Structure formats: C-alpha cells, structure tokens
Amino acid sequence: MALLYDVVKGHPGVILGADIHALIETARHSHEDDKIREFVYEKRVLAETMISRPVMKGFKGMIRVEWLFG
C-alpha cells in the first residue's frame, strides 16, 4: 500500500486531506513512536469501517492483478 500511496499522493482527491497526508509522512519517519503507530492504527480501522468488504476486496484484487503486484 505504501508503493501505491507514493504513486497517487500527488493526485487531487477528496478523501485524504492535508492532515492525513501529514500524518502519513510523520508516521513514515517515526517507526519507534508507539503513540503515532496507535493513532495511525485507529485511523486505519476507522477508514476500513467506511469501506464495504466487497469494495475493498475488489480494489485489492484490481491492484494485485492489474498494477501493483502484476
């Protein structure tokens, strides 16, 4: 997912705001910070609850077959 994020992070979007991009950047450089790790985990879990399981499975299947892992 990090590779995919690196490719699309510069594209305009409506879901990931500047605050989330800043959090991702901070988390990438703070591997030993348990507070940041826990905060990112909570954000990820919250985001996953907003995406239906079939949609997420379809997305992961698409990137596996067509692009990232193909």
Side-chain angles (χ1 to χ4, degrees):
M1 288 294 128
L3 294 173
L4 178 60
Y5 174 76
D6 286 339
V7 171
V8 301
K9 70 182 176 184
H11 295 250
V14 295
I15 296 175
L16 297 180
D19 59 331
I20 298 299
H21 288 294
L23 173 62
I24 292 168
E25 191 63 28
T26 299
R28 283 182 147 184
H29 296 91
S30 302
H31 299 291
E32 301 300 320
D33 191 334
D34 289 335
K35 286 174 135 178
I36 291 175
R37 186 178 300 125
E38 183 65 26
F39 186 69
V40 169
Y41 172 78
E42 290 171 6
K43 287 287 193 181
R44 181 179 61 86
V45 169
L46 178 62
E48 288 175 356
T49 66
M50 293 185 232
I51 303 169
S52 73
R53 186 177 179 103
V55 168
M56 183 56 80
K57 285 185 79 167
F59 170 72
K60 287 180 178 179
M62 185 231 9
I63 62 172
R64 187 178 305 110
V65 170
E66 295 181 18
W67 185 69
L68 191 59
F69 302 112

